[in-house]
Coordinates of all heavy atoms in Angstrom, one line a residue:
M30 N 65.1 -6.2 117.9 CA 65.1 -7.1 116.8 C 64.2 -6.6 115.7 O 63.1 -6.1 115.9 CB 64.7 -8.4 117.2 CG 65.4 -9.1 118.3 SD 66.8 -10.0 117.7 CE 67.7 -10.3 119.1
S31 N 64.6 -6.7 114.4 CA 63.9 -6.0 113.4 C 62.9 -6.9 112.7 O 62.3 -6.5 111.7 CB 65.0 -5.6 112.3 OG 65.7 -6.7 111.8
G32 N 62.8 -8.2 113.0 CA 61.9 -9.1 112.4 C 62.4 -9.9 111.2 O 61.8 -10.6 110.5
L33 N 63.7 -9.7 111.0 CA 64.4 -10.4 109.9 C 65.0 -11.7 110.4 O 65.7 -12.4 109.6 CB 65.5 -9.6 109.3 CG 65.0 -8.3 108.6 CD1 66.2 -7.5 108.1 CD2 64.0 -8.6 107.4
E34 N 64.9 -12.1 111.7 CA 65.5 -13.3 112.2 C 65.0 -14.5 111.5 O 65.8 -15.5 111.3 CB 65.3 -13.4 113.7 CG 66.0 -12.4 114.5 CD 65.4 -11.0 114.6 OE1 64.2 -10.9 114.3 OE2 66.1 -10.0 114.9
P35 N 63.7 -14.6 111.1 CA 63.3 -15.9 110.5 C 63.9 -16.1 109.1 O 64.0 -17.2 108.6 CB 61.7 -15.7 110.3 CG 61.4 -14.6 111.3 CD 62.6 -13.7 111.5
L36 N 64.4 -15.0 108.5 CA 65.1 -15.2 107.1 C 66.5 -15.9 107.3 O 66.9 -16.5 106.2 CB 65.2 -13.8 106.5 CG 64.0 -13.0 106.2 CD1 64.3 -11.7 105.6 CD2 63.2 -13.9 105.1
I37 N 67.0 -15.9 108.4 CA 68.4 -16.5 108.5 C 68.2 -18.0 108.3 O 69.0 -18.6 107.5 CB 69.0 -16.1 109.9 CG1 69.4 -14.6 109.8 CG2 70.3 -16.9 110.1 CD1 69.8 -14.1 111.2
P38 N 67.4 -18.7 109.1 CA 67.3 -20.2 108.8 C 66.7 -20.5 107.5 O 67.1 -21.6 106.9 CB 66.4 -20.7 110.0 CG 65.8 -19.5 110.7 CD 66.6 -18.3 110.2
I39 N 65.8 -19.7 107.0 CA 65.3 -20.0 105.7 C 66.4 -19.8 104.6 O 66.5 -20.7 103.7 CB 64.1 -19.0 105.3 CG1 62.9 -19.3 106.3 CG2 63.7 -19.1 103.9 CD1 61.8 -18.3 106.1
S40 N 67.2 -18.8 104.7 CA 68.2 -18.6 103.7 C 69.3 -19.7 103.8 O 69.9 -20.2 102.8 CB 68.8 -17.3 103.8 OG 69.5 -17.1 105.1
L41 N 69.6 -20.1 105.1 CA 70.5 -21.3 105.2 C 69.9 -22.5 104.7 O 70.8 -23.3 104.0 CB 70.7 -21.4 106.8 CG 71.7 -22.5 107.2 CD1 73.1 -22.2 106.7 CD2 71.7 -22.7 108.7
F42 N 68.7 -22.8 104.9 CA 68.0 -24.0 104.3 C 68.2 -24.0 102.8 O 68.6 -25.0 102.2 CB 66.6 -24.1 104.7 CG 65.9 -25.2 104.0 CD1 66.0 -26.6 104.3 CD2 65.0 -24.9 103.0 CE1 65.3 -27.6 103.7 CE2 64.2 -25.8 102.3 CZ 64.5 -27.2 102.7
F43 N 67.8 -22.9 102.1 CA 67.9 -22.8 100.7 C 69.3 -22.9 100.1 O 69.6 -23.5 99.1 CB 67.1 -21.5 100.1 CG 65.7 -21.6 100.1 CD1 64.9 -20.8 100.9 CD2 65.1 -22.6 99.3 CE1 63.6 -20.9 100.9 CE2 63.7 -22.6 99.3 CZ 62.9 -21.8 100.2
S44 N 70.3 -22.4 100.9 CA 71.7 -22.5 100.5 C 72.1 -23.9 100.5 O 72.8 -24.3 99.5 CB 72.5 -21.6 101.5 OG 72.2 -20.2 101.3
I45 N 71.8 -24.6 101.6 CA 72.2 -26.0 101.7 C 71.5 -26.8 100.6 O 72.2 -27.7 99.9 CB 71.9 -26.5 103.1 CG1 72.8 -25.9 104.1 CG2 72.1 -28.1 103.1 CD1 72.5 -26.2 105.5
A46 N 70.2 -26.6 100.3 CA 69.5 -27.3 99.3 C 70.1 -27.0 97.9 O 70.3 -27.9 97.1 CB 68.1 -26.9 99.3
A47 N 70.5 -25.8 97.6 CA 71.1 -25.4 96.4 C 72.4 -26.1 96.2 O 72.8 -26.6 95.1 CB 71.3 -24.0 96.3
V48 N 73.2 -26.3 97.2 CA 74.5 -27.0 97.2 C 74.3 -28.4 96.8 O 74.9 -28.9 95.9 CB 75.3 -26.8 98.5 CG1 76.5 -27.8 98.5 CG2 75.8 -25.4 98.7
F49 N 73.3 -29.0 97.4 CA 73.1 -30.5 97.2 C 72.6 -30.7 95.8 O 73.0 -31.6 95.0 CB 72.1 -31.1 98.2 CG 72.8 -31.5 99.5 CD1 72.5 -30.8 100.6 CD2 73.6 -32.6 99.5 CE1 73.1 -31.1 101.8 CE2 74.2 -33.0 100.6 CZ 74.0 -32.3 101.9
I50 N 71.7 -29.8 95.3 CA 71.2 -29.9 93.9 C 72.3 -29.7 92.9 O 72.4 -30.4 91.9 CB 70.0 -29.0 93.7 CG1 68.8 -29.4 94.5 CG2 69.6 -28.8 92.2 CD1 67.6 -28.4 94.6
L51 N 73.0 -28.6 93.0 CA 74.0 -28.2 92.1 C 75.3 -29.2 92.1 O 76.0 -29.2 91.1 CB 74.5 -26.8 92.3 CG 73.4 -25.8 92.1 CD1 73.9 -24.4 92.3 CD2 72.8 -25.9 90.6
R52 N 75.4 -30.0 93.1 CA 76.6 -30.9 93.1 C 76.2 -32.2 92.5 O 77.0 -33.1 92.2 CB 77.0 -31.2 94.5 CG 77.7 -30.0 95.1 CD 78.3 -30.4 96.4 NE 79.4 -31.3 96.1 CZ 80.4 -31.7 96.9 NH1 80.4 -31.2 98.1 NH2 81.3 -32.6 96.6
G53 N 74.9 -32.4 92.1 CA 74.4 -33.6 91.5 C 74.5 -33.5 90.0 O 75.2 -32.7 89.4
P54 N 73.8 -34.5 89.3 CA 73.9 -34.5 87.8 C 73.3 -33.2 87.2 O 73.7 -32.8 86.1 CB 73.0 -35.7 87.4 CG 72.4 -36.2 88.7 CD 73.0 -35.5 89.8
F55 N 72.3 -32.6 87.8 CA 71.7 -31.4 87.3 C 72.7 -30.3 87.3 O 72.9 -29.5 86.3 CB 70.5 -30.9 88.1 CG 69.9 -29.6 87.6 CD1 69.2 -29.5 86.5 CD2 70.1 -28.5 88.4 CE1 68.6 -28.3 86.1 CE2 69.6 -27.3 88.0 CZ 68.9 -27.2 86.8
G56 N 73.5 -30.2 88.4 CA 74.6 -29.2 88.5 C 75.7 -29.4 87.4 O 76.2 -28.5 86.8
K57 N 76.0 -30.7 87.2 CA 77.0 -31.0 86.2 C 76.6 -30.6 84.8 O 77.3 -30.0 84.1 CB 77.4 -32.5 86.3 CG 78.5 -32.8 85.3 CD 78.8 -34.4 85.5 CE 80.0 -34.8 84.6 NZ 79.9 -34.4 83.2
A58 N 75.4 -30.9 84.5 CA 74.8 -30.6 83.2 C 74.8 -29.1 83.0 O 75.0 -28.6 82.0 CB 73.4 -31.2 83.0
L59 N 74.4 -28.4 84.1 CA 74.3 -26.9 84.0 C 75.7 -26.4 83.8 O 75.8 -25.4 83.0 CB 73.6 -26.4 85.3 CG 73.4 -24.9 85.4 CD1 72.5 -24.4 84.3 CD2 72.9 -24.5 86.7
A60 N 76.6 -26.8 84.5 CA 78.0 -26.4 84.4 C 78.6 -26.6 83.0 O 79.2 -25.8 82.3 CB 78.9 -27.0 85.4
D61 N 78.2 -27.8 82.4 CA 78.7 -28.1 81.1 C 78.1 -27.2 80.1 O 78.7 -26.7 79.1 CB 78.4 -29.6 80.7 CG 79.2 -30.6 81.4 OD1 80.3 -30.2 82.0 OD2 78.9 -31.8 81.5
R62 N 76.8 -26.9 80.3 CA 76.0 -26.1 79.3 C 76.6 -24.6 79.4 O 76.8 -24.0 78.4 CB 74.6 -26.1 79.6 CG 73.8 -25.2 78.7 CD 73.7 -25.8 77.3 NE 72.9 -27.0 77.3 CZ 72.7 -27.6 76.1 NH1 73.1 -27.1 75.0 NH2 71.9 -28.7 76.1
L63 N 76.8 -24.2 80.6 CA 77.3 -22.8 80.8 C 78.7 -22.6 80.4 O 79.1 -21.6 79.8 CB 77.2 -22.3 82.3 CG 75.7 -22.1 82.7 CD1 75.8 -21.8 84.2 CD2 75.1 -21.1 82.0
G64 N 79.5 -23.7 80.5 CA 80.9 -23.7 80.1 C 81.1 -23.9 78.6 O 82.2 -23.9 78.1
G65 N 80.0 -24.2 77.9 CA 80.2 -24.4 76.4 C 80.7 -25.8 76.1 O 81.1 -26.0 75.0
R66 N 80.6 -26.7 77.1 CA 81.1 -28.0 76.9 C 79.9 -29.0 76.5 O 80.1 -30.2 76.7 CB 81.8 -28.5 78.1 CG 83.1 -27.7 78.4 CD 83.8 -28.3 79.6 NE 82.9 -28.3 80.7 CZ 83.2 -27.6 81.8 NH1 84.2 -26.9 81.9 NH2 82.4 -27.7 82.9
S67 N 78.8 -28.5 76.1 CA 77.8 -29.4 75.7 C 78.3 -30.2 74.5 O 78.8 -29.6 73.5 CB 76.5 -28.7 75.4 OG 76.7 -27.9 74.2
S68 N 78.1 -31.4 74.5 CA 78.8 -32.3 73.5 C 78.0 -32.2 72.2 O 76.9 -32.8 72.1 CB 78.9 -33.7 74.0 OG 77.5 -34.2 74.3
A69 N 78.6 -31.5 71.3 CA 78.0 -31.3 69.9 C 78.0 -32.6 69.2 O 77.2 -32.9 68.4 CB 78.6 -30.2 69.2
A70 N 79.1 -33.4 69.6 CA 79.2 -34.8 68.9 C 78.1 -35.7 69.3 O 77.5 -36.4 68.5 CB 80.6 -35.4 69.3
E71 N 77.6 -35.6 70.5 CA 76.5 -36.4 71.0 C 75.2 -35.9 70.3 O 74.4 -36.8 69.9 CB 76.4 -36.3 72.5 CG 77.4 -37.1 73.2 CD 77.2 -36.9 74.8 OE1 76.1 -36.5 75.2 OE2 78.1 -37.3 75.5
D72 N 75.1 -34.6 70.1 CA 73.9 -34.1 69.5 C 73.9 -34.5 68.0 O 72.9 -34.9 67.4 CB 73.8 -32.6 69.6 CG 73.6 -32.1 71.0 OD1 73.1 -32.9 71.8 OD2 73.9 -30.9 71.2
D73 N 75.0 -34.5 67.3 CA 75.2 -34.9 65.9 C 74.8 -36.4 65.8 O 74.2 -36.9 64.8 CB 76.5 -34.7 65.4 CG 76.7 -33.2 65.2 OD1 75.7 -32.4 65.1 OD2 77.9 -32.7 65.1
T74 N 75.3 -37.2 66.7 CA 75.1 -38.7 66.7 C 73.7 -38.9 66.9 O 73.1 -39.7 66.2 CB 75.9 -39.4 67.8 OG1 77.3 -39.1 67.6 CG2 75.7 -40.8 67.7
R75 N 73.0 -38.3 67.8 CA 71.6 -38.5 68.1 C 70.8 -38.0 66.8 O 69.8 -38.7 66.5 CB 71.1 -37.7 69.3 CG 69.7 -37.8 69.6 CD 69.4 -37.0 70.8 NE 67.9 -36.7 70.9 CZ 67.2 -37.4 71.8 NH1 67.7 -38.3 72.6 NH2 65.9 -37.2 71.8
T76 N 71.2 -36.9 66.2 CA 70.4 -36.4 65.0 C 70.5 -37.4 63.9 O 69.6 -37.8 63.2 CB 70.9 -35.1 64.6 OG1 70.8 -34.1 65.7 CG2 70.2 -34.6 63.4
R77 N 71.7 -37.9 63.7 CA 72.0 -38.9 62.7 C 71.2 -40.2 62.9 O 70.5 -40.8 62.0 CB 73.5 -39.3 62.5 CG 73.8 -40.0 61.3 CD 75.3 -40.3 61.1 NE 76.2 -39.1 61.6 CZ 77.0 -39.2 62.7 NH1 77.1 -40.3 63.3 NH2 77.7 -38.2 63.0
L78 N 71.1 -40.7 64.2 CA 70.4 -41.8 64.5 C 68.9 -41.6 64.3 O 68.2 -42.5 63.7 CB 70.6 -42.2 66.0 CG 69.9 -43.4 66.6 CD1 70.3 -44.7 65.8 CD2 70.0 -43.5 68.0
L79 N 68.4 -40.5 64.7 CA 66.9 -40.2 64.4 C 66.6 -40.1 63.0 O 65.5 -40.6 62.5 CB 66.5 -38.9 65.1 CG 66.5 -38.9 66.7 CD1 66.3 -37.5 67.3 CD2 65.5 -39.9 67.1
E80 N 67.5 -39.6 62.1 CA 67.3 -39.5 60.7 C 67.2 -40.9 60.1 O 66.4 -41.2 59.3 CB 68.4 -38.6 60.0 CG 68.2 -37.1 60.3 CD 69.4 -36.4 59.8 OE1 70.4 -36.9 59.3 OE2 69.3 -35.1 59.8
E81 N 68.1 -41.8 60.6 CA 68.2 -43.2 60.1 C 66.8 -43.8 60.4 O 66.3 -44.6 59.6 CB 69.3 -43.8 60.6 CG 70.7 -43.5 60.1 CD 71.8 -44.1 60.7 OE1 71.6 -44.9 61.7 OE2 73.0 -43.8 60.4
Q82 N 66.4 -43.6 61.7 CA 65.1 -44.2 62.1 C 64.0 -43.7 61.3 O 63.1 -44.5 60.9 CB 64.9 -44.0 63.6 CG 65.8 -44.8 64.4 CD 65.7 -44.5 65.9 OE1 65.0 -43.5 66.3 NE2 66.3 -45.3 66.8
L83 N 64.0 -42.4 61.0 CA 62.9 -41.8 60.2 C 62.9 -42.4 58.8 O 61.8 -42.7 58.2 CB 63.1 -40.3 60.1 CG 62.1 -39.5 59.3 CD1 60.7 -39.7 59.9 CD2 62.4 -38.1 59.2
E84 N 64.1 -42.6 58.2 CA 64.1 -43.2 56.9 C 63.6 -44.5 56.8 O 62.8 -45.0 55.9 CB 65.5 -43.1 56.3 CG 66.1 -41.7 55.9 CD 67.6 -41.8 55.5 OE1 68.1 -42.9 55.3 OE2 68.1 -40.7 55.3
E85 N 63.9 -45.3 57.9 CA 63.4 -46.7 58.0 C 61.9 -46.7 58.1 O 61.2 -47.5 57.5 CB 64.0 -47.4 59.2 CG 63.5 -48.9 59.3 CD 64.1 -49.6 60.5 OE1 65.0 -49.1 61.1 OE2 63.5 -50.7 60.9
V86 N 61.3 -45.8 58.9 CA 59.9 -45.7 59.1 C 59.2 -45.3 57.8 O 58.1 -45.9 57.4 CB 59.5 -44.7 60.2 CG1 58.1 -44.4 60.3 CG2 59.9 -45.3 61.6
Q87 N 59.9 -44.3 57.0 CA 59.2 -44.0 55.8 C 59.2 -45.1 54.8 O 58.3 -45.3 54.0 CB 60.1 -42.8 55.2 CG 59.8 -41.5 56.0 CD 60.7 -40.4 55.5 OE1 61.8 -40.6 55.0 NE2 60.2 -39.1 55.7
Y88 N 60.4 -45.9 54.8 CA 60.4 -47.1 53.9 C 59.3 -48.0 54.3 O 58.6 -48.6 53.3 CB 61.8 -47.7 54.0 CG 61.9 -49.0 53.2 CD1 62.1 -49.0 51.9 CD2 61.9 -50.2 53.9 CE1 62.2 -50.1 51.1 CE2 62.0 -51.4 53.2 CZ 62.1 -51.4 51.8 OH 62.2 -52.5 51.1
R89 N 59.2 -48.3 55.5 CA 58.2 -49.3 56.0 C 56.8 -48.8 55.7 O 55.9 -49.5 55.3 CB 58.3 -49.6 57.4 CG 59.7 -50.4 57.7 CD 59.9 -50.6 59.1 NE 59.0 -51.7 59.6 CZ 58.9 -52.1 60.8 NH1 59.6 -51.5 61.7 NH2 58.0 -53.0 61.2
L90 N 56.5 -47.5 55.8 CA 55.3 -46.9 55.5 C 54.9 -47.0 54.0 O 53.8 -47.4 53.6 CB 55.2 -45.5 56.0 CG 53.9 -44.8 55.6 CD1 52.7 -45.3 56.4 CD2 54.0 -43.3 56.0
H91 N 55.9 -46.8 53.2 CA 55.7 -46.9 51.7 C 55.4 -48.4 51.4 O 54.5 -48.6 50.6 CB 57.0 -46.5 51.0 CG 56.9 -46.6 49.5 ND1 56.1 -45.8 48.8 CD2 57.5 -47.5 48.6 CE1 56.2 -46.1 47.5 NE2 57.0 -47.2 47.4
D92 N 56.1 -49.3 52.1 CA 55.8 -50.7 51.9 C 54.3 -51.1 52.2 O 53.6 -51.8 51.6 CB 56.8 -51.6 52.6 CG 56.7 -53.1 52.3 OD1 56.5 -53.4 51.1 OD2 56.7 -54.0 53.2
V93 N 53.9 -50.5 53.4 CA 52.5 -50.8 53.9 C 51.6 -50.2 52.9 O 50.5 -50.8 52.6 CB 52.4 -50.3 55.3 CG1 50.9 -50.3 55.7 CG2 53.2 -51.1 56.3
E94 N 51.8 -49.0 52.4 CA 50.9 -48.4 51.5 C 50.8 -49.2 50.2 O 49.7 -49.4 49.6 CB 51.4 -47.0 51.1 CG 51.2 -46.0 52.2 CD 51.8 -44.7 51.9 OE1 52.7 -44.6 51.0 OE2 51.5 -43.6 52.6
E95 N 51.9 -49.8 49.7 CA 51.9 -50.6 48.5 C 51.0 -52.0 48.8 O 50.2 -52.3 48.0 CB 53.3 -51.0 48.1 CG 54.0 -49.9 47.4 CD 55.4 -50.4 47.0 OE1 55.8 -51.6 47.2 OE2 56.1 -49.5 46.4
R96 N 51.2 -52.5 49.9 CA 50.4 -53.7 50.2 C 48.9 -53.3 50.4 O 48.1 -54.1 49.9 CB 50.8 -54.3 51.6 CG 52.2 -54.9 51.5 CD 52.7 -55.4 52.8 NE 54.1 -55.9 52.7 CZ 54.6 -56.9 53.4 NH1 53.8 -57.5 54.4 NH2 55.8 -57.3 53.2
L97 N 48.6 -52.2 50.9 CA 47.2 -51.7 51.0 C 46.6 -51.6 49.7 O 45.5 -52.0 49.4 CB 47.1 -50.5 51.9 CG 45.7 -49.9 52.0 CD1 44.8 -50.9 52.8 CD2 45.7 -48.6 52.8
D98 N 47.4 -50.9 48.8 CA 46.9 -50.7 47.4 C 46.6 -52.0 46.7 O 45.6 -52.3 46.1 CB 47.9 -49.9 46.6 CG 48.0 -48.5 47.0 OD1 47.0 -48.0 47.7 OD2 48.9 -47.8 46.7
F99 N 47.5 -53.0 46.9 CA 47.3 -54.3 46.3 C 46.1 -55.0 46.9 O 45.3 -55.6 46.1 CB 48.6 -55.2 46.5 CG 48.4 -56.6 46.0 CD1 48.5 -56.8 44.7 CD2 48.2 -57.6 46.9 CE1 48.4 -58.1 44.2 CE2 48.0 -58.9 46.5 CZ 48.1 -59.2 45.1
A100 N 45.9 -54.9 48.2 CA 44.8 -55.5 48.8 C 43.5 -54.9 48.3 O 42.5 -55.6 48.1 CB 44.9 -55.5 50.3
E101 N 43.5 -53.6 48.2 CA 42.3 -52.9 47.7 C 42.0 -53.4 46.2 O 40.8 -53.5 45.8 CB 42.5 -51.4 47.7 CG 42.4 -50.9 49.1 CD 42.7 -49.4 49.1 OE1 43.3 -48.8 48.2 OE2 42.4 -48.8 50.2
R102 N 43.0 -53.5 45.4 CA 42.8 -53.9 44.0 C 42.2 -55.3 44.0 O 41.4 -55.6 43.2 CB 44.1 -53.8 43.2 CG 44.4 -52.4 42.8 CD 45.6 -52.4 41.7 NE 46.8 -53.2 42.2 CZ 47.8 -52.6 42.8 NH1 47.8 -51.3 43.1 NH2 48.8 -53.3 43.1
V103 N 42.7 -56.2 44.8 CA 42.3 -57.6 44.9 C 40.8 -57.6 45.3 O 40.0 -58.3 44.7 CB 43.1 -58.5 45.8 CG1 42.5 -59.8 46.1 CG2 44.6 -58.7 45.2
V104 N 40.5 -56.8 46.3 CA 39.1 -56.9 46.8 C 38.2 -56.3 45.7 O 37.1 -56.8 45.5 CB 39.1 -56.1 48.1 CG1 37.5 -55.9 48.5 CG2 39.7 -56.8 49.2
T105 N 38.5 -55.2 45.1 CA 37.6 -54.5 44.2 C 37.5 -55.4 42.9 O 36.5 -55.5 42.3 CB 38.1 -53.1 43.8 OG1 39.4 -53.1 43.3 CG2 37.9 -52.2 45.0
H106 N 38.6 -56.0 42.5 CA 38.6 -56.8 41.3 C 37.8 -58.1 41.6 O 37.1 -58.6 40.7 CB 40.0 -57.2 40.9 CG 40.1 -58.1 39.7 ND1 39.7 -57.6 38.4 CD2 40.4 -59.4 39.6 CE1 39.9 -58.7 37.5 NE2 40.3 -59.7 38.2
G107 N 37.8 -58.6 42.7 CA 37.1 -59.8 43.1 C 35.7 -59.6 43.1 O 34.9 -60.5 42.7
R108 N 35.2 -58.4 43.4 CA 33.8 -58.1 43.4 C 33.2 -57.9 42.0 O 32.1 -58.2 41.7 CB 33.5 -56.8 44.2 CG 33.7 -57.0 45.7 CD 33.3 -55.8 46.5 NE 33.6 -56.0 47.9 CZ 33.7 -55.1 48.8 NH1 33.5 -53.8 48.4 NH2 33.9 -55.4 50.0
S109 N 34.0 -57.3 41.1 CA 33.5 -57.0 39.8 C 33.7 -58.1 38.8 O 33.1 -58.1 37.8 CB 34.2 -55.7 39.3 OG 35.6 -56.1 39.1
A110 N 34.6 -59.1 39.1 CA 34.8 -60.2 38.2 C 33.6 -61.2 38.3 O 33.1 -61.4 39.4 CB 36.1 -60.9 38.6
P111 N 33.3 -61.7 37.2 CA 32.2 -62.8 37.2 C 32.6 -63.9 37.9 O 33.8 -64.4 37.8 CB 31.9 -63.0 35.7 CG 33.2 -62.6 35.0 CD 33.8 -61.5 35.8
Q112 N 31.7 -64.6 38.6 CA 32.0 -65.7 39.4 C 32.0 -67.0 38.4 O 31.1 -67.1 37.6 CB 31.0 -66.0 40.5 CG 31.0 -64.8 41.5 CD 32.3 -64.8 42.3 OE1 32.9 -65.9 42.5 NE2 32.7 -63.6 42.6
I113 N 33.0 -67.8 38.6 CA 33.0 -69.1 37.7 C 32.5 -70.1 38.6 O 32.8 -70.4 39.7 CB 34.5 -69.4 37.4 CG1 35.1 -68.2 36.6 CG2 34.5 -70.7 36.6 CD1 36.6 -68.4 36.3
E114 N 31.4 -70.8 38.0 CA 30.8 -71.9 38.7 C 31.7 -73.1 38.6 O 32.3 -73.4 37.6 CB 29.5 -72.2 38.1 CG 28.5 -71.1 38.3 CD 27.1 -71.4 37.7 OE1 26.8 -72.6 37.6 OE2 26.4 -70.5 37.4
G115 N 31.8 -73.9 39.7 CA 32.6 -75.1 39.7 C 32.0 -76.2 39.0 O 30.8 -76.3 38.9
E116 N 32.8 -77.1 38.5 CA 32.2 -78.4 37.9 C 31.7 -79.3 39.0 O 32.3 -79.4 40.0 CB 33.4 -79.0 37.0 CG 33.9 -78.1 36.0 CD 35.0 -78.9 35.2 OE1 35.0 -80.1 35.2 OE2 35.9 -78.2 34.7
G117 N 30.7 -80.0 38.5 CA 30.4 -81.1 39.3 C 29.0 -81.1 39.8 O 28.3 -81.5 40.4

């Protein structure tokens, strides 16, 4: 015996594991990618959705910046304006 006998069950184990892994969702995705069937339409839809979300976040950030500027003006104007004493 040449000492290669332990490799037989090891290779059998890895072969069976590979079959189970490649028959699952990972194998399907790999086959789609290798076959050129990756859905470009899904990628375009996802890109368009992310762009729309980015535009919304930019709009909201601009709105928050305007509110912050207004609040800063109110606070600084309130400190520099003379205080009016109340009647009474």
